[in-house]
Amino acid sequence: MRNLMPKLLTWRNYNKVLSKKVSPVKLEKHSTQLSFYKMMASISAQFVAAKNEHIDAAINNALTQIGEFFNADRSYVFSFSENHHVADNTHEWCAAKVTPQLNELKNIPLDAYGGWYTSWQAGEITCISDIAVLPSESLERKLLEPQGIKSVIMIPLRTEDKLLGMFGLDIVKSYAEWTEEHISLLSIIAETIANSLLRKRSTLSIHLQQTVGQITVRFINLPVALIDNTINNALTQLREFFDFSHALLLEAESVPANYGEPNSRKPNSKKTIYGFANDFLPNLKPEYYYHTCVLFPIVHGKKHYGYLTMVHENKLIFDNDQHIESLSLIAEVIAGTYARRDTEKQNEYLAFYHPVSGLPNRRFLDKQIEQVVAGCDREQTCCAIVFIDIDHFKHTNDTLGRELSDKLLQHIGQRVQQFIEAGDTAAHLGADQFVLIIEQLGTDIDSALRKLQRASVEFKNNLEQPFQLENKSITVSACIGVSFYCGADPHELDILNQAELAMFKAKSFGRGSLRYFDPQMQESASKRALLYDDLKVAITENQFEMYYQLQVNRKGKAIAAEALVRWHHPERGMVSPNEFIDFAEETNLIEDISEQVIALSCKQLADWGGHPVMNDLELSINISAQHMLKSDFMDTLQAILQMTKAPTEKLKFEITESALIADTTAIVKLMKELNQLGIRFSLDDFGTGYSSLSYLKAFPITELKLDLRFVHDMVTNNRDYAIAAAVIILAKELDLIVVAEGVETNEQRDLLLELGCDSLQGYLYSRPLPAEQVVALTEEINAKF
């Protein structure tokens, strides 16, 4: 049969084809080699830029371009399993009116490729101009004819010593002669696809190691009460990682005793059992009947607990040693966890865990606090104790009864456990008392205090959400005491007693109160709580006002303004944004404030539309990443624009580098959508982040704002002057406008103008002013022009 097949190019011949100079030949219905290389450059750029999760999309896009370029009827990729037992058609493009094969060509044994598979292993390319030359009974012809193929070229996807799969083009409507130039060009594409597939496999391999590590670590010292939940989370994680249609545990009794290899029934066997899903899971929907099912025995010693059961539509996923070993390891970890539950559950509960909630008890907590405090002393880091006492639990117990009260405590314990981060500890001291050890608060005391205060309030709010028990909605509150530790403590009381004292102090303020042992910390927390309440009222009562600071061009003419929010507190008067913006972002109030800022600013911009002087001014609005990433941001913005009739071509959003860091993909997509509305973007505080240059390339920005920290001392500080000069030069090269902030002196102005700065903003020209004063100042400034 092999003698009847067309001559195959070996990889050595293929390399010769690439290296010699080939005279241009015509590619039917396509342009010259130059067009191909332009297309190839575009495809390569997409692969280089593609994240691992986008490689499949990049391959599909490449197949579309390649298929259309070569006037093929199908272009496709087959991926081979790691151990080369099966192949799957994983990617495909089809021309119009050509029958797709993607869903038909799954789980193909590599033996079905006949001699081709051997030739691909040797690096040879399969070119067939007419499949009629193949013997009528050959495996190869039987594979091609049902697909209506007349001509085909198939190129092995190789990287060094790895054969990853095959890339091919089908001709269905006519016949094709494959020239050396075709082979040369398609081989370049194959190499690019192969490298991308290898990168994807390598990344997935690393992610699998990380995933298995994450899963197995969760089982270390796992409280018995959390075993089932942890296993369910592990199954969910595995199902999502491998795209399993099912991932579950089967009891040993549910598997037919006569199925599979005899030794797979033995308790000490670690072999997997293969079969169709319907053989093990008879209640499946029909579409899953013939999916591949693999069972991993959960065995520890002589105890057989059942099977870790995975179902996937393709065998390819299971023909991989790393996959099998990883899943076998997880089955072993689960088995070990079950065994520990069986042998240690009673003693562990009595010694270290509360019998109702399953959380550590006082004995465990004391030892853990000793270790944590010693670590803080050693590392000079901070930690905290949160002491929780459920309000009026005796009354709750009497009302609900013992059984339901225990269930309530279990739910409270679970909520406490879920709130803490990895490395922290939750304990249950008595019927109605819980304790948290909060670690990872860092070395900076002020930062640690702020983090702890925020976490304490979040925990209190979380705890007070209703519990659902036997169709009853039960709400609890708690008095909470917090103590804080950073190295040597001058107090005689230990940190747990401090937290308990703070809890008793909270009780004196009534149910649901929270107090801190440290007076300074309590004062800070009280101020933050008051600020939070005041901001909520300010949002509800529309206490925010907009001030505007002018920007002038090189000649001194006012051409734009920046909108700056001010809070008009009924008792404190005008509050600077420095006092509340950061706090609003921490407490998630910034979205509501930002929405009001946009609405007020757009209304003002629209009002200025009929003014002879203000009509030409552009308006910049500061916007937070948190608000931009809100799901209904675009709908809200468009509603504001429609209501105010603000001209979007005169609207700019000032966005900081922190906003760009938040979620690059989402931010870029959103910025482009806003560009289509006419809104432009200015990068605020440029130069103060760590990756600003990459933003200039990746994001649709038209303007840079030179941070006032560089402007302030540029007259006397050579380094600040050099940074300002570099920013302006860079902006000019990238055709970006530069606005300098914080210009206060003539010397600063002259230097900036000398460097080529486009616009200036600062007290030299205008302080932030109410709208009516800005109009008067603009009229005064622009009267000269």
Side-chain angles (χ1 to χ4, degrees), residues 20-53:
K20 69 181 182 179
K21 188 173 182 181
V22 181
S23 58
V25 298
K26 292 183 179 179
L27 299 173
E28 290 184 16
K29 299 182 181 179
H30 295 286
S31 56
T32 61
Q33 286 178 320
L34 179 60
S35 298
F36 172 84
Y37 290 121
K38 286 182 178 179
M39 176 186 72
M40 196 58 223
S42 172
I43 291 173
S44 298
Q46 292 177 37
F47 278 118
V48 169
K51 296 180 179 179
N52 187 63
E53 60 268 26

CSV table of all heavy atoms in Angstrom, one decimal, residues 20-53:
chain,number,residue,atom,x,y,z
A,20,LYS,N,15.8,26.8,0.4
A,20,LYS,CA,16.2,27.3,-1.0
A,20,LYS,C,15.3,28.4,-1.4
A,20,LYS,O,14.1,28.5,-1.0
A,20,LYS,CB,16.2,26.1,-2.0
A,20,LYS,CG,14.8,25.6,-2.3
A,20,LYS,CD,14.9,24.4,-3.2
A,20,LYS,CE,13.5,23.9,-3.6
A,20,LYS,NZ,13.6,22.8,-4.6
A,21,LYS,N,15.8,29.2,-2.4
A,21,LYS,CA,15.0,30.3,-2.9
A,21,LYS,C,14.0,29.8,-3.9
A,21,LYS,O,14.4,29.2,-4.9
A,21,LYS,CB,15.9,31.3,-3.5
A,21,LYS,CG,15.2,32.6,-3.9
A,21,LYS,CD,16.2,33.7,-4.3
A,21,LYS,CE,15.5,35.0,-4.6
A,21,LYS,NZ,16.4,36.0,-5.1
A,22,VAL,N,12.7,29.9,-3.6
A,22,VAL,CA,11.6,29.4,-4.5
A,22,VAL,C,11.1,30.6,-5.3
A,22,VAL,O,10.7,31.6,-4.8
A,22,VAL,CB,10.5,28.7,-3.7
A,22,VAL,CG1,9.5,28.2,-4.6
A,22,VAL,CG2,11.1,27.7,-2.8
A,23,SER,N,11.0,30.4,-6.7
A,23,SER,CA,10.4,31.4,-7.5
A,23,SER,C,8.9,31.5,-7.3
A,23,SER,O,8.3,30.5,-7.0
A,23,SER,CB,10.7,31.1,-9.0
A,23,SER,OG,10.2,29.8,-9.3
A,24,PRO,N,8.4,32.7,-7.3
A,24,PRO,CA,6.9,32.8,-7.0
A,24,PRO,C,6.1,32.0,-8.0
A,24,PRO,O,6.3,31.9,-9.2
A,24,PRO,CB,6.7,34.3,-7.2
A,24,PRO,CG,8.0,34.9,-7.1
A,24,PRO,CD,9.0,33.9,-7.7
A,25,VAL,N,5.0,31.3,-7.4
A,25,VAL,CA,4.1,30.6,-8.2
A,25,VAL,C,2.7,31.1,-7.8
A,25,VAL,O,2.5,31.7,-6.8
A,25,VAL,CB,4.1,29.1,-7.9
A,25,VAL,CG1,5.5,28.5,-8.3
A,25,VAL,CG2,3.8,28.8,-6.5
A,26,LYS,N,1.7,30.8,-8.6
A,26,LYS,CA,0.4,31.4,-8.4
A,26,LYS,C,-0.3,30.5,-7.4
A,26,LYS,O,-0.3,29.3,-7.5
A,26,LYS,CB,-0.4,31.4,-9.7
A,26,LYS,CG,0.1,32.5,-10.7
A,26,LYS,CD,-0.8,32.5,-11.9
A,26,LYS,CE,-0.3,33.6,-12.9
A,26,LYS,NZ,-1.1,33.6,-14.1
A,27,LEU,N,-1.0,31.1,-6.4
A,27,LEU,CA,-1.9,30.4,-5.5
A,27,LEU,C,-3.3,30.8,-6.0
A,27,LEU,O,-3.6,32.0,-6.0
A,27,LEU,CB,-1.6,30.9,-4.1
A,27,LEU,CG,-0.2,30.6,-3.5
A,27,LEU,CD1,-0.1,31.2,-2.2
A,27,LEU,CD2,0.0,29.1,-3.4
A,28,GLU,N,-4.1,29.8,-6.4
A,28,GLU,CA,-5.4,30.1,-6.9
A,28,GLU,C,-6.2,31.0,-6.1
A,28,GLU,O,-6.3,30.7,-4.9
A,28,GLU,CB,-6.1,28.8,-7.2
A,28,GLU,CG,-5.5,28.0,-8.4
A,28,GLU,CD,-6.4,26.7,-8.6
A,28,GLU,OE1,-7.5,26.7,-8.2
A,28,GLU,OE2,-5.9,25.9,-9.3
A,29,LYS,N,-6.8,32.0,-6.7
A,29,LYS,CA,-7.7,32.9,-6.0
A,29,LYS,C,-7.1,33.7,-4.8
A,29,LYS,O,-7.8,34.1,-4.0
A,29,LYS,CB,-9.0,32.2,-5.6
A,29,LYS,CG,-9.8,31.5,-6.7
A,29,LYS,CD,-11.0,30.9,-6.2
A,29,LYS,CE,-11.8,30.2,-7.4
A,29,LYS,NZ,-13.0,29.5,-6.9
A,30,HIS,N,-5.8,33.7,-4.8
A,30,HIS,CA,-5.1,34.4,-3.7
A,30,HIS,C,-4.0,35.2,-4.3
A,30,HIS,O,-3.6,35.1,-5.4
A,30,HIS,CB,-4.6,33.4,-2.7
A,30,HIS,CG,-5.7,32.7,-2.0
A,30,HIS,ND1,-6.5,33.2,-1.0
A,30,HIS,CD2,-6.1,31.4,-2.1
A,30,HIS,CE1,-7.4,32.4,-0.6
A,30,HIS,NE2,-7.2,31.2,-1.3
A,31,SER,N,-3.4,36.0,-3.4
A,31,SER,CA,-2.3,36.9,-3.8
A,31,SER,C,-1.0,36.2,-3.7
A,31,SER,O,-1.0,35.0,-3.5
A,31,SER,CB,-2.4,38.2,-3.0
A,31,SER,OG,-2.3,37.8,-1.7
A,32,THR,N,0.1,36.9,-3.8
A,32,THR,CA,1.4,36.4,-3.8
A,32,THR,C,1.9,35.9,-2.5
A,32,THR,O,1.2,36.0,-1.5
A,32,THR,CB,2.4,37.5,-4.4
A,32,THR,OG1,2.3,38.6,-3.4
A,32,THR,CG2,2.0,37.9,-5.7
A,33,GLN,N,3.2,35.5,-2.4
A,33,GLN,CA,3.8,35.1,-1.2
A,33,GLN,C,3.7,36.2,-0.2
A,33,GLN,O,3.5,36.0,1.0
A,33,GLN,CB,5.3,34.7,-1.4
A,33,GLN,CG,5.5,33.4,-2.1
A,33,GLN,CD,6.9,33.1,-2.3
A,33,GLN,OE1,7.7,34.0,-2.6
A,33,GLN,NE2,7.4,31.9,-2.1
A,34,LEU,N,3.8,37.4,-0.6
A,34,LEU,CA,3.8,38.6,0.3
A,34,LEU,C,2.5,38.6,1.1
A,34,LEU,O,2.5,38.8,2.3
A,34,LEU,CB,3.9,39.9,-0.5
A,34,LEU,CG,3.9,41.2,0.4
A,34,LEU,CD1,5.1,41.1,1.4
A,34,LEU,CD2,4.0,42.4,-0.5
A,35,SER,N,1.4,38.3,0.4
A,35,SER,CA,0.1,38.2,1.1
A,35,SER,C,0.1,37.1,2.2
A,35,SER,O,-0.4,37.3,3.3
A,35,SER,CB,-1.0,38.0,0.2
A,35,SER,OG,-1.1,39.0,-0.8
A,36,PHE,N,0.7,36.0,1.8
A,36,PHE,CA,0.8,34.9,2.8
A,36,PHE,C,1.6,35.3,4.0
A,36,PHE,O,1.2,35.1,5.1
A,36,PHE,CB,1.5,33.7,2.2
A,36,PHE,CG,1.7,32.6,3.2
A,36,PHE,CD1,0.8,31.7,3.5
A,36,PHE,CD2,3.0,32.5,3.8
A,36,PHE,CE1,1.0,30.7,4.5
A,36,PHE,CE2,3.2,31.5,4.7
A,36,PHE,CZ,2.2,30.6,5.1
A,37,TYR,N,2.8,35.9,3.8
A,37,TYR,CA,3.6,36.3,4.9
A,37,TYR,C,3.0,37.4,5.8
A,37,TYR,O,3.1,37.4,7.0
A,37,TYR,CB,5.0,36.7,4.4
A,37,TYR,CG,5.8,35.6,3.9
A,37,TYR,CD1,6.3,35.6,2.6
A,37,TYR,CD2,6.0,34.5,4.7
A,37,TYR,CE1,7.0,34.5,2.1
A,37,TYR,CE2,6.8,33.4,4.2
A,37,TYR,CZ,7.2,33.4,2.9
A,37,TYR,OH,7.9,32.3,2.5
A,38,LYS,N,2.2,38.3,5.1
A,38,LYS,CA,1.4,39.2,5.9
A,38,LYS,C,0.4,38.5,6.8
A,38,LYS,O,0.2,38.8,8.0
A,38,LYS,CB,0.7,40.2,5.0
A,38,LYS,CG,1.7,41.3,4.4
A,38,LYS,CD,0.9,42.3,3.5
A,38,LYS,CE,1.8,43.3,2.9
A,38,LYS,NZ,1.0,44.3,2.1
A,39,MET,N,-0.3,37.5,6.2
A,39,MET,CA,-1.3,36.8,6.9
A,39,MET,C,-0.5,36.0,8.0
A,39,MET,O,-1.0,35.9,9.2
A,39,MET,CB,-2.0,35.8,6.0
A,39,MET,CG,-2.9,34.8,6.8
A,39,MET,SD,-3.7,33.6,5.7
A,39,MET,CE,-2.2,32.5,5.5
A,40,MET,N,0.6,35.4,7.7
A,40,MET,CA,1.3,34.6,8.7
A,40,MET,C,1.8,35.5,9.9
A,40,MET,O,1.8,35.1,11.0
A,40,MET,CB,2.6,34.0,8.0
A,40,MET,CG,3.2,32.8,8.8
A,40,MET,SD,1.9,31.6,9.2
A,40,MET,CE,2.3,31.2,10.9
A,41,ALA,N,2.2,36.7,9.5
A,41,ALA,CA,2.7,37.7,10.6
A,41,ALA,C,1.5,38.0,11.5
A,41,ALA,O,1.6,38.0,12.7
A,41,ALA,CB,3.2,38.9,10.0
A,42,SER,N,0.3,38.2,10.9
A,42,SER,CA,-0.9,38.5,11.7
A,42,SER,C,-1.2,37.3,12.6
A,42,SER,O,-1.5,37.4,13.8
A,42,SER,CB,-2.1,38.8,10.8
A,42,SER,OG,-3.2,38.9,11.5
A,43,ILE,N,-1.2,36.1,12.0
A,43,ILE,CA,-1.5,34.9,12.8
A,43,ILE,C,-0.5,34.7,13.9
A,43,ILE,O,-0.8,34.4,15.1
A,43,ILE,CB,-1.5,33.6,11.9
A,43,ILE,CG1,-2.7,33.7,11.0
A,43,ILE,CG2,-1.5,32.3,12.7
A,43,ILE,CD1,-2.7,32.6,9.9
A,44,SER,N,0.8,34.9,13.6
A,44,SER,CA,1.9,34.7,14.6
A,44,SER,C,1.7,35.7,15.8
A,44,SER,O,1.8,35.4,17.0
A,44,SER,CB,3.2,34.9,14.0
A,44,SER,OG,3.5,33.9,13.0
A,45,ALA,N,1.3,37.0,15.4
A,45,ALA,CA,1.1,38.0,16.4
A,45,ALA,C,0.0,37.6,17.4
A,45,ALA,O,0.0,37.8,18.6
A,45,ALA,CB,0.8,39.3,15.8
A,46,GLN,N,-1.1,37.0,16.8
A,46,GLN,CA,-2.2,36.6,17.6
A,46,GLN,C,-1.8,35.5,18.6
A,46,GLN,O,-2.2,35.5,19.7
A,46,GLN,CB,-3.4,36.1,16.7
A,46,GLN,CG,-4.0,37.2,15.9
A,46,GLN,CD,-5.1,36.7,15.0
A,46,GLN,OE1,-5.8,35.8,15.3
A,46,GLN,NE2,-5.2,37.2,13.8
A,47,PHE,N,-1.0,34.5,18.1
A,47,PHE,CA,-0.6,33.5,19.0
A,47,PHE,C,0.3,34.0,20.1
A,47,PHE,O,0.3,33.6,21.2
A,47,PHE,CB,0.2,32.4,18.2
A,47,PHE,CG,-0.7,31.4,17.5
A,47,PHE,CD1,-0.8,31.3,16.1
A,47,PHE,CD2,-1.6,30.6,18.2
A,47,PHE,CE1,-1.6,30.4,15.5
A,47,PHE,CE2,-2.4,29.7,17.6
A,47,PHE,CZ,-2.5,29.6,16.2
A,48,VAL,N,1.2,34.9,19.7
A,48,VAL,CA,2.1,35.5,20.7
A,48,VAL,C,1.4,36.2,21.8
A,48,VAL,O,1.6,36.1,23.0
A,48,VAL,CB,3.2,36.4,20.1
A,48,VAL,CG1,3.9,37.2,21.1
A,48,VAL,CG2,4.1,35.6,19.2
A,49,ALA,N,0.3,37.0,21.4
A,49,ALA,CA,-0.4,37.8,22.3
A,49,ALA,C,-1.4,37.0,23.1
A,49,ALA,O,-1.9,37.4,24.2
A,49,ALA,CB,-1.1,38.9,21.6
A,50,ALA,N,-1.8,35.8,22.6
A,50,ALA,CA,-2.9,35.0,23.2
A,50,ALA,C,-2.5,34.4,24.5
A,50,ALA,O,-1.4,33.8,24.7
A,50,ALA,CB,-3.3,33.9,22.3
A,51,LYS,N,-3.4,34.6,25.5
A,51,LYS,CA,-3.2,34.0,26.8
A,51,LYS,C,-3.5,32.5,26.6
A,51,LYS,O,-4.1,32.1,25.6
A,51,LYS,CB,-4.1,34.6,27.9
A,51,LYS,CG,-3.8,36.0,28.2
A,51,LYS,CD,-4.7,36.6,29.3
A,51,LYS,CE,-4.4,38.0,29.6
A,51,LYS,NZ,-5.3,38.5,30.6
A,52,ASN,N,-3.2,31.7,27.6
A,52,ASN,CA,-3.4,30.2,27.4
A,52,ASN,C,-4.8,29.9,27.1
A,52,ASN,O,-5.1,29.1,26.3
A,52,ASN,CB,-2.9,29.5,28.7
A,52,ASN,CG,-2.9,28.0,28.5
A,52,ASN,OD1,-2.2,27.5,27.7
A,52,ASN,ND2,-3.8,27.3,29.3
A,53,GLU,N,-5.8,30.6,27.8
A,53,GLU,CA,-7.2,30.3,27.6
A,53,GLU,C,-7.7,30.7,26.3
A,53,GLU,O,-8.8,30.4,25.9
A,53,GLU,CB,-8.0,30.9,28.8
A,53,GLU,CG,-7.9,32.4,28.8
A,53,GLU,CD,-6.8,32.9,29.8
A,53,GLU,OE1,-5.9,32.1,30.0
A,53,GLU,OE2,-7.0,34.0,30.3
